[in-house]
Amino acid sequence: MARINDHFLKLQAGYLFPEIGRRVAAYASEHPDQAGDIIRCGIGDVTEPLPQVAIEAMHKAVDDQAARETFHGYGPEQGYDWLREQIAKVSYAERGVQVEADEIYVSDGAKCDTGNILDIFGHDNVVAVPDPVYPVYVDTNVMNGNTGEARADGSYEGLLYLACTPENGFVPEPPGQHADLVYLCFPNNPTGAVASREQLERWVAYAKENEAILLYDGAYEAFITEPGIPSSIFAIPGARECAIEFRSFSKQGGFTGTRCGYIVIPKELHAKDAKGNDIPVSRLWSRRHTTKFNGASYIVQRGAAALFSPEGQAQTRALIEHYLGNAAILSEACRKAGLKVWGGKNAPYVWVQTPGGMGSWEFFDKMLHEAHVVITPGAGFGAHGEGFFRISAFNSRENALEVAHRIEKLLS
Ligand SMILES: *Cc1c(COP(=O)(O)O)cnc(C)c1O
């Protein structure tokens, strides 16, 4: 009989979002009269329609596919040059960050990229992950056999966890021990924390000293509002020799259902083969990408490219300001209710301590049953998320105001 990849069996059964879905569905079916009242601030999915420039560009691209002269079949696996050049210019060069168009690999989203990147790395790397964190980093390492078994608190043997706590402002310092691959995500999902230039400089110094690679997830880069916070790991001198950056149009352009992202691998980035030779990481990723991926949709790439025009930038900005406005309303409501609040300023997530030391799933149930609001329990993002919850600001203004009202009412 065929054999499975046994590492999959190590995965914890209750993956966060299915478990949330299960509890919401159970409550709704037991209380059908209240089902329509439930407001979802759980999953980090956008709610507002796409910027008009993207809609127009995609309509036009559909028409391109209707005529032989303008039809596009398979495109370059790495993405069309007109998109990669816009990314290099507007997202990097204009902000003083050096990234060449041919160091950008366009994909159908950052989730796939953060998981797929493990294809090109060996299995004996020491992997460091922040805790709490976007669950994809941990689970893809489990699937790849880079960890041991799960422990009772949901963490895995063999991973190096970087505790993110109120004491370090949810930005971990480099550990006192060696790691080969380090995941970092700023602005952070779930805590909304951002790293300062000095903190990122310490991570780059650590990576150089340890010949480690930083896997830097910048999916929320566009939400940074505080001056001086680096928008890219490549804004730090030396990062081109030790970092890969993941980016996405999902949160900044509302592309969660449209699908487009990219990864940046600088030419200077190298890692060792079994014989100790330095191999360019981009060579392996390029080989992987061209073998296992056939390019993001032409129509979608046209939509993404439209976001870089001055008009597109203005529309994107408006979208982000809408969500950040919600985040401010939700943060304020939690503060007024006497809760300790982080994030919400440079990210669409508000990270909150549960009242009275309540467990995060216990508070999830209380919010669902008594306020009909779905939040995300912090424990779902890692053991150090216990005692916290995340509220997503991805919502209509009306819903954000209503959630703010219900939080104040529930806890006053
Ligand atoms: C939403 C998100 C992504 C982006 O996912 P896509 O696959 O591009 O939609 C990546 N990283 C983090 C931390 C996220 O929250």
Side-chain angles (χ1 to χ4, degrees), residues 44 108-112 114 134 137 185 189 217 219-220 247-251 256 259-261 349:
D108 57 359
K111 188 196 230 184
C112 323
T114 54
Y134 184 53
Y137 315 147
C185 174
N189 176 9
D217 188 338
Y220 296 94
R247 290 268 185 103
S248 171
F249 295 98
S250 281
K251 314 302 166 34
T256 54
R259 312 301 308 141
C260 198
Y349 298 122

Side-chain angles (χ1 to χ4, degrees), residues 271-288:
K272 294 232 184 294
D273 71 7
K275 299 194 190 87
N277 302 309
D278 278 358
I279 309 292
V281 172
S282 57
R283 191 169 102 200
L284 269 65
W285 182 254
S286 188
R287 192 69 174 83
R288 188 224 168 263

